[in-house]
Amino acid sequence: MIGFIGLGQLGSRLATLLVEAGHEVMVFDADSSAIQALVDRGAMAAEFCTDLGRCCDTVLTCLPSPQASETVMLGENGLLSTMSTGSTWIETSTISVDGTLRMATIAESCGIHMLEAPMTGGVHRAARGEMTIFAGGSEDLFEQHRSLLETIGGEVIYLGETGSASLVKVISNLLCLVDL
């Protein structure tokens, strides 16, 4: 089963793509109406985000800020405390290179694999599964989850070691600002 935390404008569309592709998906968000919208599409609801750690081998997070990612994953009753050794956390949120490296190190110390997968393309492209995904982390881990990432994104680009995808995402954001 796949866990998904963060059902905002982007996350809800990504989780929907997973459900529509036939994956068993358990979802959590601070907004219960966002959870219900996904349940109505076929997902299962988690009462707490830590439920996903107990039930899912892979958990994706799509959160609005680095602080939100840190709180959900590392805070009191954070998700890492309930994930099984050998499971995978895929972080799609935009966070700094330093933040990514720090959280990946903590995850690894807990026996959890982390794959960073920040995206670009906008909410309209997310709804069609056409986001560009920048992936960073172990190449073996990337290959294990490539098809999952291809379900939610059009182009999936493996960039190498952890931190590389976060760096390219920040550069991409800066280039978009320059283009305005």
Side-chain angles (χ1 to χ4, degrees), residues 138-179:
S138 152
E139 189 169 5
D140 289 341
L141 186 64
F142 167 73
E143 291 300 335
Q144 288 172 21
H145 297 284
R146 178 194 288 269
S147 65
L148 180 66
L149 294 174
E150 289 172 343
T151 299
I152 60 174
E155 185 172 8
V156 180
I157 304 167
Y158 177 68
L159 294 169
E161 64 188 41
T162 303
S164 58
S166 294
L167 178 61
V168 170
K169 171 60 178 178
V170 169
I171 291 169
S172 172
N173 284 359
L174 290 173
L175 290 173
C176 287
L177 288 173
V178 170
D179 190 40

PDB file of all heavy atoms in Angstrom, residues 138-179:
ATOM      1  N   SER A 138      19.588   7.156  -4.037  1.00  0.00           N
ATOM      2  CA  SER A 138      20.191   5.927  -4.549  1.00  0.00           C
ATOM      3  C   SER A 138      19.565   5.558  -5.890  1.00  0.00           C
ATOM      4  O   SER A 138      18.344   5.571  -6.042  1.00  0.00           O
ATOM      5  CB  SER A 138      19.964   4.796  -3.533  1.00  0.00           C
ATOM      6  OG  SER A 138      19.922   3.550  -4.158  1.00  0.00           O
ATOM      7  N   GLU A 139      20.400   5.217  -6.863  1.00  0.00           N
ATOM      8  CA  GLU A 139      19.874   4.835  -8.178  1.00  0.00           C
ATOM      9  C   GLU A 139      19.033   3.560  -8.091  1.00  0.00           C
ATOM     10  O   GLU A 139      18.011   3.436  -8.768  1.00  0.00           O
ATOM     11  CB  GLU A 139      21.001   4.662  -9.200  1.00  0.00           C
ATOM     12  CG  GLU A 139      20.480   4.490 -10.610  1.00  0.00           C
ATOM     13  CD  GLU A 139      21.558   4.579 -11.668  1.00  0.00           C
ATOM     14  OE1 GLU A 139      22.756   4.683 -11.330  1.00  0.00           O
ATOM     15  OE2 GLU A 139      21.180   4.541 -12.860  1.00  0.00           O
ATOM     16  N   ASP A 140      19.442   2.628  -7.247  1.00  0.00           N
ATOM     17  CA  ASP A 140      18.642   1.413  -7.061  1.00  0.00           C
ATOM     18  C   ASP A 140      17.264   1.751  -6.497  1.00  0.00           C
ATOM     19  O   ASP A 140      16.248   1.206  -6.945  1.00  0.00           O
ATOM     20  CB  ASP A 140      19.350   0.422  -6.122  1.00  0.00           C
ATOM     21  CG  ASP A 140      20.566  -0.233  -6.760  1.00  0.00           C
ATOM     22  OD1 ASP A 140      20.665  -0.223  -8.009  1.00  0.00           O
ATOM     23  OD2 ASP A 140      21.405  -0.758  -6.003  1.00  0.00           O
ATOM     24  N   LEU A 141      17.215   2.638  -5.515  1.00  0.00           N
ATOM     25  CA  LEU A 141      15.941   3.050  -4.939  1.00  0.00           C
ATOM     26  C   LEU A 141      15.085   3.756  -5.988  1.00  0.00           C
ATOM     27  O   LEU A 141      13.872   3.519  -6.077  1.00  0.00           O
ATOM     28  CB  LEU A 141      16.180   3.967  -3.731  1.00  0.00           C
ATOM     29  CG  LEU A 141      14.952   4.367  -2.920  1.00  0.00           C
ATOM     30  CD1 LEU A 141      14.306   3.139  -2.270  1.00  0.00           C
ATOM     31  CD2 LEU A 141      15.348   5.386  -1.857  1.00  0.00           C
ATOM     32  N   PHE A 142      15.711   4.607  -6.770  1.00  0.00           N
ATOM     33  CA  PHE A 142      14.994   5.289  -7.850  1.00  0.00           C
ATOM     34  C   PHE A 142      14.377   4.264  -8.808  1.00  0.00           C
ATOM     35  O   PHE A 142      13.200   4.372  -9.166  1.00  0.00           O
ATOM     36  CB  PHE A 142      15.930   6.236  -8.609  1.00  0.00           C
ATOM     37  CG  PHE A 142      15.347   6.734  -9.898  1.00  0.00           C
ATOM     38  CD1 PHE A 142      14.323   7.666  -9.889  1.00  0.00           C
ATOM     39  CD2 PHE A 142      15.804   6.256 -11.121  1.00  0.00           C
ATOM     40  CE1 PHE A 142      13.758   8.119 -11.089  1.00  0.00           C
ATOM     41  CE2 PHE A 142      15.260   6.700 -12.306  1.00  0.00           C
ATOM     42  CZ  PHE A 142      14.236   7.640 -12.290  1.00  0.00           C
ATOM     43  N   GLU A 143      15.148   3.284  -9.218  1.00  0.00           N
ATOM     44  CA  GLU A 143      14.634   2.280 -10.159  1.00  0.00           C
ATOM     45  C   GLU A 143      13.479   1.485  -9.551  1.00  0.00           C
ATOM     46  O   GLU A 143      12.535   1.136 -10.261  1.00  0.00           O
ATOM     47  CB  GLU A 143      15.743   1.351 -10.633  1.00  0.00           C
ATOM     48  CG  GLU A 143      16.765   2.022 -11.544  1.00  0.00           C
ATOM     49  CD  GLU A 143      16.167   2.600 -12.825  1.00  0.00           C
ATOM     50  OE1 GLU A 143      15.102   2.138 -13.289  1.00  0.00           O
ATOM     51  OE2 GLU A 143      16.763   3.552 -13.378  1.00  0.00           O
ATOM     52  N   GLN A 144      13.549   1.223  -8.249  1.00  0.00           N
ATOM     53  CA  GLN A 144      12.452   0.512  -7.579  1.00  0.00           C
ATOM     54  C   GLN A 144      11.149   1.308  -7.635  1.00  0.00           C
ATOM     55  O   GLN A 144      10.064   0.724  -7.646  1.00  0.00           O
ATOM     56  CB  GLN A 144      12.790   0.249  -6.112  1.00  0.00           C
ATOM     57  CG  GLN A 144      13.837  -0.795  -5.877  1.00  0.00           C
ATOM     58  CD  GLN A 144      14.233  -0.845  -4.402  1.00  0.00           C
ATOM     59  OE1 GLN A 144      13.496  -0.403  -3.529  1.00  0.00           O
ATOM     60  NE2 GLN A 144      15.422  -1.373  -4.137  1.00  0.00           N
ATOM     61  N   HIS A 145      11.250   2.627  -7.657  1.00  0.00           N
ATOM     62  CA  HIS A 145      10.062   3.482  -7.588  1.00  0.00           C
ATOM     63  C   HIS A 145       9.808   4.276  -8.864  1.00  0.00           C
ATOM     64  O   HIS A 145       8.902   5.113  -8.894  1.00  0.00           O
ATOM     65  CB  HIS A 145      10.180   4.414  -6.379  1.00  0.00           C
ATOM     66  CG  HIS A 145      10.211   3.672  -5.087  1.00  0.00           C
ATOM     67  ND1 HIS A 145       9.088   3.117  -4.522  1.00  0.00           N
ATOM     68  CD2 HIS A 145      11.244   3.345  -4.272  1.00  0.00           C
ATOM     69  CE1 HIS A 145       9.420   2.489  -3.408  1.00  0.00           C
ATOM     70  NE2 HIS A 145      10.726   2.616  -3.234  1.00  0.00           N
ATOM     71  N   ARG A 146      10.558   3.985  -9.899  1.00  0.00           N
ATOM     72  CA  ARG A 146      10.412   4.717 -11.166  1.00  0.00           C
ATOM     73  C   ARG A 146       8.979   4.658 -11.690  1.00  0.00           C
ATOM     74  O   ARG A 146       8.398   5.676 -12.061  1.00  0.00           O
ATOM     75  CB  ARG A 146      11.366   4.181 -12.217  1.00  0.00           C
ATOM     76  CG  ARG A 146      11.190   4.893 -13.574  1.00  0.00           C
ATOM     77  CD  ARG A 146      11.878   4.156 -14.705  1.00  0.00           C
ATOM     78  NE  ARG A 146      13.301   4.250 -14.671  1.00  0.00           N
ATOM     79  CZ  ARG A 146      14.012   5.202 -15.286  1.00  0.00           C
ATOM     80  NH1 ARG A 146      13.401   6.147 -15.960  1.00  0.00           N
ATOM     81  NH2 ARG A 146      15.313   5.202 -15.218  1.00  0.00           N
ATOM     82  N   SER A 147       8.382   3.468 -11.726  1.00  0.00           N
ATOM     83  CA  SER A 147       7.036   3.354 -12.299  1.00  0.00           C
ATOM     84  C   SER A 147       6.015   4.139 -11.470  1.00  0.00           C
ATOM     85  O   SER A 147       5.071   4.708 -12.020  1.00  0.00           O
ATOM     86  CB  SER A 147       6.618   1.891 -12.448  1.00  0.00           C
ATOM     87  OG  SER A 147       6.496   1.277 -11.190  1.00  0.00           O
ATOM     88  N   LEU A 148       6.192   4.183 -10.166  1.00  0.00           N
ATOM     89  CA  LEU A 148       5.303   4.973  -9.310  1.00  0.00           C
ATOM     90  C   LEU A 148       5.428   6.457  -9.662  1.00  0.00           C
ATOM     91  O   LEU A 148       4.420   7.160  -9.812  1.00  0.00           O
ATOM     92  CB  LEU A 148       5.653   4.737  -7.839  1.00  0.00           C
ATOM     93  CG  LEU A 148       4.830   5.491  -6.808  1.00  0.00           C
ATOM     94  CD1 LEU A 148       3.382   5.014  -6.828  1.00  0.00           C
ATOM     95  CD2 LEU A 148       5.430   5.309  -5.428  1.00  0.00           C
ATOM     96  N   LEU A 149       6.654   6.921  -9.807  1.00  0.00           N
ATOM     97  CA  LEU A 149       6.874   8.322 -10.174  1.00  0.00           C
ATOM     98  C   LEU A 149       6.323   8.614 -11.568  1.00  0.00           C
ATOM     99  O   LEU A 149       5.764   9.692 -11.804  1.00  0.00           O
ATOM    100  CB  LEU A 149       8.359   8.668 -10.093  1.00  0.00           C
ATOM    101  CG  LEU A 149       8.975   8.624  -8.696  1.00  0.00           C
ATOM    102  CD1 LEU A 149      10.485   8.838  -8.764  1.00  0.00           C
ATOM    103  CD2 LEU A 149       8.323   9.630  -7.771  1.00  0.00           C
ATOM    104  N   GLU A 150       6.452   7.674 -12.490  1.00  0.00           N
ATOM    105  CA  GLU A 150       5.921   7.875 -13.836  1.00  0.00           C
ATOM    106  C   GLU A 150       4.398   7.943 -13.840  1.00  0.00           C
ATOM    107  O   GLU A 150       3.807   8.557 -14.718  1.00  0.00           O
ATOM    108  CB  GLU A 150       6.420   6.770 -14.768  1.00  0.00           C
ATOM    109  CG  GLU A 150       7.897   6.919 -15.076  1.00  0.00           C
ATOM    110  CD  GLU A 150       8.494   5.742 -15.838  1.00  0.00           C
ATOM    111  OE1 GLU A 150       7.866   4.647 -15.864  1.00  0.00           O
ATOM    112  OE2 GLU A 150       9.591   5.920 -16.401  1.00  0.00           O
ATOM    113  N   THR A 151       3.762   7.348 -12.834  1.00  0.00           N
ATOM    114  CA  THR A 151       2.307   7.424 -12.711  1.00  0.00           C
ATOM    115  C   THR A 151       1.855   8.844 -12.415  1.00  0.00           C
ATOM    116  O   THR A 151       0.804   9.279 -12.876  1.00  0.00           O
ATOM    117  CB  THR A 151       1.805   6.480 -11.590  1.00  0.00           C
ATOM    118  OG1 THR A 151       2.164   5.142 -11.924  1.00  0.00           O
ATOM    119  CG2 THR A 151       0.310   6.568 -11.405  1.00  0.00           C
ATOM    120  N   ILE A 152       2.645   9.585 -11.659  1.00  0.00           N
ATOM    121  CA  ILE A 152       2.247  10.937 -11.262  1.00  0.00           C
ATOM    122  C   ILE A 152       2.946  12.032 -12.062  1.00  0.00           C
ATOM    123  O   ILE A 152       2.597  13.207 -11.930  1.00  0.00           O
ATOM    124  CB  ILE A 152       2.457  11.173  -9.746  1.00  0.00           C
ATOM    125  CG1 ILE A 152       3.921  10.994  -9.343  1.00  0.00           C
ATOM    126  CG2 ILE A 152       1.540  10.273  -8.942  1.00  0.00           C
ATOM    127  CD1 ILE A 152       4.226  11.338  -7.901  1.00  0.00           C
ATOM    128  N   GLY A 153       3.916  11.663 -12.889  1.00  0.00           N
ATOM    129  CA  GLY A 153       4.640  12.668 -13.652  1.00  0.00           C
ATOM    130  C   GLY A 153       4.843  12.255 -15.091  1.00  0.00           C
ATOM    131  O   GLY A 153       4.874  11.070 -15.420  1.00  0.00           O
ATOM    132  N   GLY A 154       4.958  13.235 -15.954  1.00  0.00           N
ATOM    133  CA  GLY A 154       5.199  12.958 -17.363  1.00  0.00           C
ATOM    134  C   GLY A 154       6.642  12.584 -17.613  1.00  0.00           C
ATOM    135  O   GLY A 154       6.951  11.502 -18.117  1.00  0.00           O
ATOM    136  N   GLU A 155       7.535  13.461 -17.224  1.00  0.00           N
ATOM    137  CA  GLU A 155       8.964  13.218 -17.408  1.00  0.00           C
ATOM    138  C   GLU A 155       9.597  13.058 -16.032  1.00  0.00           C
ATOM    139  O   GLU A 155       9.427  13.910 -15.163  1.00  0.00           O
ATOM    140  CB  GLU A 155       9.614  14.381 -18.155  1.00  0.00           C
ATOM    141  CG  GLU A 155      11.063  14.138 -18.487  1.00  0.00           C
ATOM    142  CD  GLU A 155      11.652  15.201 -19.405  1.00  0.00           C
ATOM    143  OE1 GLU A 155      10.988  16.216 -19.666  1.00  0.00           O
ATOM    144  OE2 GLU A 155      12.804  15.006 -19.822  1.00  0.00           O
ATOM    145  N   VAL A 156      10.316  11.963 -15.849  1.00  0.00           N
ATOM    146  CA  VAL A 156      10.993  11.690 -14.586  1.00  0.00           C
ATOM    147  C   VAL A 156      12.485  11.652 -14.886  1.00  0.00           C
ATOM    148  O   VAL A 156      12.942  10.832 -15.675  1.00  0.00           O
ATOM    149  CB  VAL A 156      10.519  10.354 -13.970  1.00  0.00           C
ATOM    150  CG1 VAL A 156      11.247  10.100 -12.655  1.00  0.00           C
ATOM    151  CG2 VAL A 156       9.010  10.357 -13.767  1.00  0.00           C
ATOM    152  N   ILE A 157      13.226  12.560 -14.247  1.00  0.00           N
ATOM    153  CA  ILE A 157      14.653  12.703 -14.527  1.00  0.00           C
ATOM    154  C   ILE A 157      15.446  12.339 -13.284  1.00  0.00           C
ATOM    155  O   ILE A 157      15.336  13.004 -12.245  1.00  0.00           O
ATOM    156  CB  ILE A 157      14.987  14.151 -14.954  1.00  0.00           C
ATOM    157  CG1 ILE A 157      14.129  14.562 -16.163  1.00  0.00           C
ATOM    158  CG2 ILE A 157      16.469  14.292 -15.258  1.00  0.00           C
ATOM    159  CD1 ILE A 157      14.158  16.045 -16.451  1.00  0.00           C
ATOM    160  N   TYR A 158      16.254  11.282 -13.386  1.00  0.00           N
ATOM    161  CA  TYR A 158      17.131  10.914 -12.269  1.00  0.00           C
ATOM    162  C   TYR A 158      18.386  11.765 -12.349  1.00  0.00           C
ATOM    163  O   TYR A 158      19.086  11.789 -13.365  1.00  0.00           O
ATOM    164  CB  TYR A 158      17.483   9.422 -12.323  1.00  0.00           C
ATOM    165  CG  TYR A 158      18.451   9.032 -11.232  1.00  0.00           C
ATOM    166  CD1 TYR A 158      18.059   9.039  -9.902  1.00  0.00           C
ATOM    167  CD2 TYR A 158      19.765   8.695 -11.542  1.00  0.00           C
ATOM    168  CE1 TYR A 158      18.952   8.711  -8.891  1.00  0.00           C
ATOM    169  CE2 TYR A 158      20.660   8.354 -10.536  1.00  0.00           C
ATOM    170  CZ  TYR A 158      20.245   8.372  -9.222  1.00  0.00           C
ATOM    171  OH  TYR A 158      21.134   8.047  -8.221  1.00  0.00           O
ATOM    172  N   LEU A 159      18.697  12.478 -11.254  1.00  0.00           N
ATOM    173  CA  LEU A 159      19.803  13.435 -11.251  1.00  0.00           C
ATOM    174  C   LEU A 159      21.002  13.001 -10.415  1.00  0.00           C
ATOM    175  O   LEU A 159      21.995  13.712 -10.375  1.00  0.00           O
ATOM    176  CB  LEU A 159      19.301  14.797 -10.763  1.00  0.00           C
ATOM    177  CG  LEU A 159      18.290  15.457 -11.708  1.00  0.00           C
ATOM    178  CD1 LEU A 159      17.634  16.655 -11.036  1.00  0.00           C
ATOM    179  CD2 LEU A 159      18.949  15.853 -13.013  1.00  0.00           C
ATOM    180  N   GLY A 160      20.909  11.860  -9.742  1.00  0.00           N
ATOM    181  CA  GLY A 160      22.050  11.398  -8.964  1.00  0.00           C
ATOM    182  C   GLY A 160      21.781  11.402  -7.475  1.00  0.00           C
ATOM    183  O   GLY A 160      20.657  11.221  -7.024  1.00  0.00           O
ATOM    184  N   GLU A 161      22.819  11.631  -6.731  1.00  0.00           N
ATOM    185  CA  GLU A 161      22.770  11.491  -5.275  1.00  0.00           C
ATOM    186  C   GLU A 161      21.782  12.454  -4.617  1.00  0.00           C
ATOM    187  O   GLU A 161      21.356  13.445  -5.211  1.00  0.00           O
ATOM    188  CB  GLU A 161      24.160  11.681  -4.697  1.00  0.00           C
ATOM    189  CG  GLU A 161      24.724  13.062  -4.915  1.00  0.00           C
ATOM    190  CD  GLU A 161      26.182  13.188  -4.511  1.00  0.00           C
ATOM    191  OE1 GLU A 161      26.969  12.269  -4.793  1.00  0.00           O
ATOM    192  OE2 GLU A 161      26.515  14.225  -3.894  1.00  0.00           O
ATOM    193  N   THR A 162      21.439  12.128  -3.391  1.00  0.00           N
ATOM    194  CA  THR A 162      20.520  12.949  -2.605  1.00  0.00           C
ATOM    195  C   THR A 162      21.024  14.388  -2.532  1.00  0.00           C
ATOM    196  O   THR A 162      22.200  14.633  -2.283  1.00  0.00           O
ATOM    197  CB  THR A 162      20.380  12.373  -1.179  1.00  0.00           C
ATOM    198  OG1 THR A 162      19.936  11.027  -1.280  1.00  0.00           O
ATOM    199  CG2 THR A 162      19.397  13.175  -0.348  1.00  0.00           C
ATOM    200  N   GLY A 163      20.121  15.309  -2.757  1.00  0.00           N
ATOM    201  CA  GLY A 163      20.445  16.730  -2.763  1.00  0.00           C
ATOM    202  C   GLY A 163      20.461  17.303  -4.165  1.00  0.00           C
ATOM    203  O   GLY A 163      20.174  18.488  -4.356  1.00  0.00           O
ATOM    204  N   SER A 164      20.775  16.484  -5.156  1.00  0.00           N
ATOM    205  CA  SER A 164      20.874  16.983  -6.530  1.00  0.00           C
ATOM    206  C   SER A 164      19.526  17.441  -7.072  1.00  0.00           C
ATOM    207  O   SER A 164      19.435  18.459  -7.764  1.00  0.00           O
ATOM    208  CB  SER A 164      21.494  15.921  -7.444  1.00  0.00           C
ATOM    209  OG  SER A 164      20.729  14.733  -7.416  1.00  0.00           O
ATOM    210  N   ALA A 165      18.462  16.720  -6.759  1.00  0.00           N
ATOM    211  CA  ALA A 165      17.134  17.102  -7.248  1.00  0.00           C
ATOM    212  C   ALA A 165      16.652  18.390  -6.593  1.00  0.00           C
ATOM    213  O   ALA A 165      16.047  19.237  -7.257  1.00  0.00           O
ATOM    214  CB  ALA A 165      16.142  15.965  -7.019  1.00  0.00           C
ATOM    215  N   SER A 166      16.921  18.543  -5.303  1.00  0.00           N
ATOM    216  CA  SER A 166      16.529  19.781  -4.610  1.00  0.00           C
ATOM    217  C   SER A 166      17.256  20.976  -5.204  1.00  0.00           C
ATOM    218  O   SER A 166      16.668  22.054  -5.374  1.00  0.00           O
ATOM    219  CB  SER A 166      16.827  19.667  -3.117  1.00  0.00           C
ATOM    220  OG  SER A 166      16.010  18.693  -2.529  1.00  0.00           O
ATOM    221  N   LEU A 167      18.517  20.799  -5.544  1.00  0.00           N
ATOM    222  CA  LEU A 167      19.295  21.874  -6.149  1.00  0.00           C
ATOM    223  C   LEU A 167      18.712  22.273  -7.503  1.00  0.00           C
ATOM    224  O   LEU A 167      18.501  23.460  -7.778  1.00  0.00           O
ATOM    225  CB  LEU A 167      20.759  21.453  -6.302  1.00  0.00           C
ATOM    226  CG  LEU A 167      21.683  22.465  -6.974  1.00  0.00           C
ATOM    227  CD1 LEU A 167      21.742  23.758  -6.163  1.00  0.00           C
ATOM    228  CD2 LEU A 167      23.070  21.868  -7.152  1.00  0.00           C
ATOM    229  N   VAL A 168      18.416  21.295  -8.346  1.00  0.00           N
ATOM    230  CA  VAL A 168      17.861  21.592  -9.667  1.00  0.00           C
ATOM    231  C   VAL A 168      16.476  22.234  -9.535  1.00  0.00           C
ATOM    232  O   VAL A 168      16.137  23.142 -10.291  1.00  0.00           O
ATOM    233  CB  VAL A 168      17.829  20.326 -10.555  1.00  0.00           C
ATOM    234  CG1 VAL A 168      17.042  20.557 -11.831  1.00  0.00           C
ATOM    235  CG2 VAL A 168      19.254  19.887 -10.884  1.00  0.00           C
ATOM    236  N   LYS A 169      15.685  21.795  -8.574  1.00  0.00           N
ATOM    237  CA  LYS A 169      14.360  22.384  -8.363  1.00  0.00           C
ATOM    238  C   LYS A 169      14.478  23.853  -7.982  1.00  0.00           C
ATOM    239  O   LYS A 169      13.737  24.702  -8.500  1.00  0.00           O
ATOM    240  CB  LYS A 169      13.603  21.604  -7.269  1.00  0.00           C
ATOM    241  CG  LYS A 169      12.321  22.230  -6.807  1.00  0.00           C
ATOM    242  CD  LYS A 169      11.290  22.399  -7.911  1.00  0.00           C
ATOM    243  CE  LYS A 169      10.023  22.989  -7.282  1.00  0.00           C
ATOM    244  NZ  LYS A 169       8.977  23.237  -8.197  1.00  0.00           N
ATOM    245  N   VAL A 170      15.404  24.193  -7.098  1.00  0.00           N
ATOM    246  CA  VAL A 170      15.587  25.592  -6.711  1.00  0.00           C
ATOM    247  C   VAL A 170      16.045  26.421  -7.918  1.00  0.00           C
ATOM    248  O   VAL A 170      15.550  27.525  -8.148  1.00  0.00           O
ATOM    249  CB  VAL A 170      16.582  25.714  -5.530  1.00  0.00           C
ATOM    250  CG1 VAL A 170      16.985  27.157  -5.293  1.00  0.00           C
ATOM    251  CG2 VAL A 170      15.966  25.113  -4.274  1.00  0.00           C
ATOM    252  N   ILE A 171      16.951  25.875  -8.705  1.00  0.00           N
ATOM    253  CA  ILE A 171      17.408  26.576  -9.914  1.00  0.00           C
ATOM    254  C   ILE A 171      16.235  26.768 -10.878  1.00  0.00           C
ATOM    255  O   ILE A 171      16.057  27.845 -11.456  1.00  0.00           O
ATOM    256  CB  ILE A 171      18.573  25.801 -10.579  1.00  0.00           C
ATOM    257  CG1 ILE A 171      19.814  25.869  -9.693  1.00  0.00           C
ATOM    258  CG2 ILE A 171      18.856  26.364 -11.974  1.00  0.00           C
ATOM    259  CD1 ILE A 171      20.935  24.936 -10.114  1.00  0.00           C
ATOM    260  N   SER A 172      15.411  25.739 -11.035  1.00  0.00           N
ATOM    261  CA  SER A 172      14.228  25.821 -11.898  1.00  0.00           C
ATOM    262  C   SER A 172      13.292  26.929 -11.430  1.00  0.00           C
ATOM    263  O   SER A 172      12.787  27.718 -12.239  1.00  0.00           O
ATOM    264  CB  SER A 172      13.505  24.472 -11.908  1.00  0.00           C
ATOM    265  OG  SER A 172      12.283  24.560 -12.577  1.00  0.00           O
ATOM    266  N   ASN A 173      13.069  27.005 -10.132  1.00  0.00           N
ATOM    267  CA  ASN A 173      12.207  28.065  -9.582  1.00  0.00           C
ATOM    268  C   ASN A 173      12.782  29.451  -9.868  1.00  0.00           C
ATOM    269  O   ASN A 173      12.049  30.373 -10.220  1.00  0.00           O
ATOM    270  CB  ASN A 173      12.023  27.881  -8.066  1.00  0.00           C
ATOM    271  CG  ASN A 173      11.064  26.770  -7.733  1.00  0.00           C
ATOM    272  OD1 ASN A 173      10.492  26.113  -8.607  1.00  0.00           O
ATOM    273  ND2 ASN A 173      10.894  26.527  -6.449  1.00  0.00           N
ATOM    274  N   LEU A 174      14.096  29.581  -9.704  1.00  0.00           N
ATOM    275  CA  LEU A 174      14.739  30.882  -9.974  1.00  0.00           C
ATOM    276  C   LEU A 174      14.615  31.252 -11.440  1.00  0.00           C
ATOM    277  O   LEU A 174      14.362  32.419 -11.786  1.00  0.00           O
ATOM    278  CB  LEU A 174      16.201  30.851  -9.544  1.00  0.00           C
ATOM    279  CG  LEU A 174      16.442  30.793  -8.046  1.00  0.00           C
ATOM    280  CD1 LEU A 174      17.931  30.580  -7.741  1.00  0.00           C
ATOM    281  CD2 LEU A 174      15.931  32.041  -7.352  1.00  0.00           C
ATOM    282  N   LEU A 175      14.771  30.290 -12.339  1.00  0.00           N
ATOM    283  CA  LEU A 175      14.648  30.573 -13.770  1.00  0.00           C
ATOM    284  C   LEU A 175      13.222  30.993 -14.128  1.00  0.00           C
ATOM    285  O   LEU A 175      13.024  31.853 -14.981  1.00  0.00           O
ATOM    286  CB  LEU A 175      15.066  29.356 -14.591  1.00  0.00           C
ATOM    287  CG  LEU A 175      16.555  29.032 -14.568  1.00  0.00           C
ATOM    288  CD1 LEU A 175      16.832  27.711 -15.278  1.00  0.00           C
ATOM    289  CD2 LEU A 175      17.365  30.163 -15.175  1.00  0.00           C
ATOM    290  N   CYS A 176      12.245  30.396 -13.468  1.00  0.00           N
ATOM    291  CA  CYS A 176      10.847  30.801 -13.695  1.00  0.00           C
ATOM    292  C   CYS A 176      10.620  32.239 -13.266  1.00  0.00           C
ATOM    293  O   CYS A 176       9.896  32.984 -13.929  1.00  0.00           O
ATOM    294  CB  CYS A 176       9.892  29.869 -12.946  1.00  0.00           C
ATOM    295  SG  CYS A 176       9.771  28.242 -13.694  1.00  0.00           S
ATOM    296  N   LEU A 177      11.248  32.654 -12.171  1.00  0.00           N
ATOM    297  CA  LEU A 177      11.115  34.032 -11.708  1.00  0.00           C
ATOM    298  C   LEU A 177      11.741  35.004 -12.691  1.00  0.00           C
ATOM    299  O   LEU A 177      11.199  36.084 -12.953  1.00  0.00           O
ATOM    300  CB  LEU A 177      11.759  34.199 -10.325  1.00  0.00           C
ATOM    301  CG  LEU A 177      11.011  33.572  -9.159  1.00  0.00           C
ATOM    302  CD1 LEU A 177      11.843  33.676  -7.885  1.00  0.00           C
ATOM    303  CD2 LEU A 177       9.657  34.222  -8.967  1.00  0.00           C
ATOM    304  N   VAL A 178      12.892  34.632 -13.245  1.00  0.00           N
ATOM    305  CA  VAL A 178      13.580  35.483 -14.213  1.00  0.00           C
ATOM    306  C   VAL A 178      12.729  35.649 -15.469  1.00  0.00           C
ATOM    307  O   VAL A 178      12.673  36.710 -16.071  1.00  0.00           O
ATOM    308  CB  VAL A 178      14.974  34.913 -14.561  1.00  0.00           C
ATOM    309  CG1 VAL A 178      15.597  35.632 -15.716  1.00  0.00           C
ATOM    310  CG2 VAL A 178      15.865  34.978 -13.332  1.00  0.00           C
ATOM    311  N   ASP A 179      12.029  34.593 -15.855  1.00  0.00           N
ATOM    312  CA  ASP A 179      11.211  34.590 -17.056  1.00  0.00           C
ATOM    313  C   ASP A 179       9.982  35.487 -16.932  1.00  0.00           C
ATOM    314  O   ASP A 179       9.397  35.888 -17.911  1.00  0.00           O
ATOM    315  CB  ASP A 179      10.786  33.160 -17.400  1.00  0.00           C
ATOM    316  CG  ASP A 179      10.143  33.060 -18.750  1.00  0.00           C
ATOM    317  OD1 ASP A 179      10.609  33.726 -19.696  1.00  0.00           O
ATOM    318  OD2 ASP A 179       9.140  32.312 -18.878  1.00  0.00           O
TER     319      ASP A 179
END
